[in-house]
């Protein structure tokens, strides 16, 4: 289960739907699930009143974000050697629905104590559900090289993104500029370093 | 040509509160400073901003106000300006951090004199008291940003930069403490050789927050009191006393950490003679800071594992890091 850390960036912050009140610099942790469901937290984050940092997550995707960044992913347990198919949110949701459906079927079967389960029918239902699942999704392919995979990996490979400095942004920004006579600190340091370097070179 | 070569080399000090660049020109050293903050507004605000003469960046779907103007405008709208750095490092909670930092640094640095001009930028040491925080990503991002601005990037420790700008007369030996906004950085060096660098996650923001909490005030108010003027040795009123108390705690904490960290290298790093202790950073500009600091140190001197020849302030606490980085950048072109 993931977790996020909320830090107050303003004088104070109150997140009503989480019942959290923080003063400047104070931090608290909530589960990723709870944080994701909180509209008040999102509103506070959007205006810069709080910062939200994911402390632990299996996968993070930024919706509509400009940049991707690498996040720590909990290593898959005991299956690191086998290639894993790419994974996306639609697939995850579909599996959740299917799981719920199977659980429902299981409960139904438990209730039918005198009737033997029609495994053929159950199997057909599951197969049908999987077929429906497969039709709606791109067929995942396991590829040894990321460039060959038709499905974009959820964890993007870019640790440090490129194109951070926007070349096309129109900027009108004022900067405080001052020029002073060369500070003695800079001059003295240059002279001393030059002297040290030359004495080293001359042996 | 030689004269033009002399002016090559630039530095940029990237802090939680300010971004400062320094470059040597024919007239001296030019420093450029921007507040490390931004504010996002809807595109409709453009007209109002033009009328009021506020500078902004047009991103199409939104307007960004950068720097000092962001703080002023945020006050008008009853909002908080957003800060791309938190605790001295890139704020992972700020989704727009990277692009904003790119804009800020590009504007503070300006265009390179030649493509690939050497640029030294500051990197803090990883905080020893904040588990899980390191500077790997922070450093990598700024290397990329500086490179994309057309420079050859070189990362250099923030506190070590002060060794270069302030300890030339001591053969580049000394202890430097940079009391910043998000953190405090420490370096110990002998003859330019780094013996120890570390940081702690306490700085100006910690002072404001702690003092405010202790008396039920707000950090913004405490910060305003600090900037209005205070004598740490003779505080007046409850708020100044709270500030003075937290300053004392900060200084004691940093000195204790220096002593502790030095113990880990004592056997491997010899100090041939007493060395100076240089204080720098915006947080050290509070009234009476040097006297206050010295008073606290004198109580610890007997047990302090390092012999200190003198305690002195940096000649320019706000620009000492940028100057020290500039010294290093200029060395790239020095014949």
């Amino acid at each position: 289960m993931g977790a996020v850390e909320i830090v107050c960036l303003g004088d104070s912050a109150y997140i009503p739907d989480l019942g959290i009140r923080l003063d400047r610099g104070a931090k608290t942790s909530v589960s990723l699930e709870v944080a994701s469901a909180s509209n008040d937290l999102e509103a506070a984050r959007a205006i810069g009143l709080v910062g939200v940092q994911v402390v632990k997550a299996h996968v993070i995707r930024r919706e509509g974000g400009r940049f991707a960044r690498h996040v720590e992913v909990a290593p898959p347990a005991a299956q690191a050697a086998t290639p894993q198919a790419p994974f996306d949110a639609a697939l995850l949701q579909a599996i959740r629905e299917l799981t719920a459906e199977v659980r429902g079927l299981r409960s139904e079967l438990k209730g039918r104590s005198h009737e033997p389960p029609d495994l053929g029918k159950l199997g057909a239902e599951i197969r049908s559900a999987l077929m429906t699942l497969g039709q709606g999704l791109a067929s995942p392919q396991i590829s040894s090289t990321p460039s060959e995979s038709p499905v974009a990996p959820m964890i993007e490979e870019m640790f440090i993104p490129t194109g951070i400095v926007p070349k096309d942004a129109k900027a009108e920004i004022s900067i405080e500029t001052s020029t002073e006579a060369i500070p003695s600190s800079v001059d003295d340091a240059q002279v001393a370093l030059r002297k040290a370097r030359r004495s080293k070179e001359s042996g | 040509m030689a004269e033009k070569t002399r002016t090559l080399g630039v530095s940029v000090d990237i802090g939680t509160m300010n971004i400062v660049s320094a470059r040597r020109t024919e007239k001296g050293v030019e420093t450029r400073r921007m507040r490390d903050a931004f504010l996002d507004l809807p595109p409709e605000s453009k007209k109002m901003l033009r009328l009021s003469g506020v500078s902004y960046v047009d991103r199409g779907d939104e307007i960004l106000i950068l720097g000092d103007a962001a703080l002023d405008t945020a006050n008008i709208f009853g909002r908080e300006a957003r800060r791309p750095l938190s605790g001295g490092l890139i704020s992972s909670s700020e989704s727009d951090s990277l692009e904003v930092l790119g804009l800020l640094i590009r504007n503070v640095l300006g265009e390179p004199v030649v493509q690939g001009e050497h640029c030294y930028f500051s990197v803090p040491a990883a905080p020893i008291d904040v588990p899980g925080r390191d500077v790997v990503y922070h450093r990598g991002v700024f290397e990329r940003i500086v490179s994309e601005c057309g420079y050859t990037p070189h990362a250099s420790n923030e506190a070590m930069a002060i060794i270069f700008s302030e300890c030339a007369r001591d053969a580049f030996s000394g202890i430097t403490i940079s009391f910043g906004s998000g953190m405090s950085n420490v370096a110990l060096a002998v003859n330019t050789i780094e013996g120890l660098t570390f940081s702690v996650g306490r700085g100006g923001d910690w002072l404001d927050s702690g003092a405010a909490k202790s008396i039920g005030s707000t950090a913004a108010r405490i910060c305003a009191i600090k900037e209005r003027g205070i004598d740490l040795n003779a505080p007046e009123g409850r708020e100044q006393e709270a500030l003075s108390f937290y300053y004392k705690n900060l200084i004691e904490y940093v000195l204790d950490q220096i002593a502790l960290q030095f113990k880990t290298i004592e056997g491997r790093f010899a100090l041939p003679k007493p060395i100076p202790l240089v204080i720098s950073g915006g947080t050290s500009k509070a009234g009476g800071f040097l006297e206050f600091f010295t008073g606290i140190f004198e109580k610890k001197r007997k047990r302090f594992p390092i012999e200190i020849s003198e305690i002195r302030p940096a000649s320019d606490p706000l620009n000492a890091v940028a100057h020290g980085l500039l010294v290093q950048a200029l060395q790239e072109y020095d014949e």
Side-chain angles (χ1 to χ4, degrees):
Chain A
M1 173 78 108
V4 303
E5 187 177 73
I6 303 169
V7 58
C8 179
L9 302 176
D11 287 342
S12 67
Y14 177 52
I15 316 295
D17 59 8
L18 294 182
I20 292 172
R21 192 183 292 277
L22 299 168
D23 293 322
R24 182 185 280 274
K27 297 177 185 178
T28 190
S29 293
V30 298
S31 70
L32 184 60
E33 198 177 10
V34 166
S36 302
S38 168
N39 292 327
D40 293 336
L41 178 62
E42 175 54 33
R45 191 206 65 77
I47 62 170
L49 188 58
V50 297
V52 178
Q53 179 176 355
V54 178
V55 173
K56 179 187 166 191
H58 290 288
V59 173
I60 291 178
R61 164 171 266 175
R62 290 177 59 232
E63 297 298 327
R66 285 184 170 76
F67 306 111
R69 61 179 174 85
H70 175 80
V71 293
E72 287 294 324
V73 176
Q79 290 176 2
T82 58
Q84 294 187 355
F87 206 64
D88 67 18
L91 182 59
L92 181 63
Q93 182 59 26
I95 289 176
R96 282 194 185 122
E97 286 168 1
L98 182 59
T99 304
E101 197 171 341
V102 169
R103 282 183 181 148
L105 286 170
R106 188 184 298 159
S107 302
E108 201 180 312
L109 286 172
K110 276 185 185 170
R112 295 181 192 173
S113 53
H114 300 293
E115 284 180 66
D118 185 345
L119 294 175
K121 187 181 174 191
L122 177 61
E125 283 175 349
I126 292 175
R127 269 195 295 279
S128 169
L130 284 171
M131 295 278 286
T132 308
L133 179 70
Q135 282 164 12
L137 301 168
S139 164
Q141 294 180 17
I142 297 165
S143 168
S144 58
T145 57
S147 58
E148 292 170 15
S149 170
V151 179
M154 190 164 191
I155 304 164
E156 296 184 70
E157 297 292 333
M158 301 163 69
F159 176 52
I160 307 291
T162 54
I164 299 174
V165 181
K167 291 183 173 36
D168 57 349
K170 295 171 199 168
E172 296 178 27
I173 305 171
S174 60
I175 297 173
E176 186 184 302
T177 303
S178 64
T179 303
E180 53 176 330
I182 297 169
S184 58
S185 56
V186 173
D187 235 6
D188 293 347
Q190 264 202 287
V191 168
L193 285 170
R194 191 181 297 138
K195 198 173 165 185
R197 194 174 59 248
R198 283 178 186 164
S199 66
K200 229 185 252 178
E201 284 165 3
S202 61
Chain B
M1 189 64 171
E3 188 59 30
K4 192 178 176 181
T5 304
R6 279 190 165 275
T7 60
L8 284 169
V10 70
S11 68
V12 59
D13 172 20
I14 304 160
T16 304
M17 187 67 89
N18 291 294
I19 296 177
V20 182
S21 77
R23 175 187 284 286
R24 188 161 178 160
T25 68
E26 288 167 352
K27 294 180 183 172
V29 170
E30 177 189 83
T31 53
R32 292 156 63 90
R33 187 199 67 80
M34 268 190 96
R35 197 78 166 214
D36 202 351
F38 68 103
L39 185 70
D40 56 295
L41 292 173
E44 301 81 62
S45 314
K46 225 189 294 187
K47 194 175 177 182
M48 176 203 68
L49 294 175
R50 280 191 186 275
L51 286 170
S52 54
V54 174
S55 305
Y56 61 88
V57 173
D58 188 348
R59 286 213 305 195
D61 55 346
E62 65 180 353
I63 301 293
L64 286 185
I65 303 176
L66 306 183
D68 298 76
L71 296 172
D72 299 335
T73 310
N75 282 335
I76 295 169
F77 285 90
R79 286 176 57 184
E80 294 271 348
R82 295 161 69 180
R83 291 159 87 174
L85 297 193
S86 170
L89 297 172
I90 288 177
S91 173
S92 54
S93 62
E94 267 296 348
S95 53
D96 292 318
S97 283
L98 298 192
E99 189 174 347
V100 168
L101 284 166
L103 283 166
L104 288 170
I105 288 172
R106 189 182 74 176
N107 282 278
V108 170
L109 272 177
E111 294 295 321
V113 173
V114 296
Q115 191 66 20
E117 183 182 3
H118 291 286
C119 173
Y120 273 69
F121 66 94
S122 64
V123 178
I128 54 173
D129 53 355
V130 185
R133 281 205 110 177
D134 62 53
V135 300
V136 175
Y137 178 66
H138 179 98
R139 175 184 170 143
V141 165
F142 286 110
E143 271 176 353
R144 183 64 55 83
I145 288 176
V146 170
S147 175
E148 288 182 356
C149 289
Y151 295 88
T152 300
H154 302 272
S156 180
N157 178 269
E158 175 178 329
M160 275 300 295
I162 302 173
I163 293 280
F164 285 103
S165 64
E166 299 292 329
C167 298
R169 64 186 196 234
D170 306 287
F172 301 103
S173 302
I175 298 176
T176 59
I177 308 175
S178 174
F179 287 100
S181 182
M183 58 182 5
S184 297
N185 273 267
V186 176
L188 181 153
V190 174
N191 296 338
T192 75
I193 297 179
E194 177 187 312
L196 183 66
T197 53
F198 69 91
S199 74
V200 294
R202 296 186 188 185
D205 290 346
W206 178 84
L207 289 171
D208 297 340
S209 166
K213 254 192 248 181
S214 66
I215 57 170
S217 182
T218 64
R221 181 170 164 77
I222 296 293
C223 188
I225 289 170
K226 197 170 64 176
E227 291 177 356
R228 216 166 32 232
I230 177 177
D231 182 350
L232 293 173
N233 302 288
E236 293 172 358
R238 199 159 158 257
E239 283 148 336
Q240 288 195 9
E241 281 179 4
L243 252 179
S244 181
F245 185 87
Y246 272 82
Y247 259 99
K248 179 169 179 280
N249 189 280
L250 172 64
I251 293 166
E252 285 176 340
Y253 182 71
V254 171
L255 288 172
D256 290 343
Q257 290 302 323
I258 292 174
L260 268 171
Q261 294 301 312
F262 183 74
K263 292 279 188 200
T264 65
I265 63 161
E266 202 170 10
R268 295 178 274 124
F269 198 80
L271 296 173
K273 55 184 182 177
I275 54 176
L277 194 157
V278 180
I279 298 163
S280 187
T283 299
S284 72
K285 292 193 70 183
F289 186 90
L290 178 64
E291 189 186 338
F292 194 69
F293 183 100
T294 305
I296 294 167
F297 176 78
E298 286 304 328
K299 290 177 186 166
K300 293 180 177 288
R301 185 188 277 274
K302 272 190 187 159
R303 287 190 176 181
F304 203 67
I306 306 164
E307 269 197 88
I308 301 297
S309 57
E310 63 165 329
I311 298 173
R312 62 177 192 250
S315 49
D316 187 348
L318 288 182
N319 295 321
V321 174
H323 287 163
L325 295 167
L326 178 61
V327 167
Q328 296 170 74
L330 292 171
Q331 290 301 299
E332 296 286 339
Y333 296 99
D334 214 15
E335 293 153 14

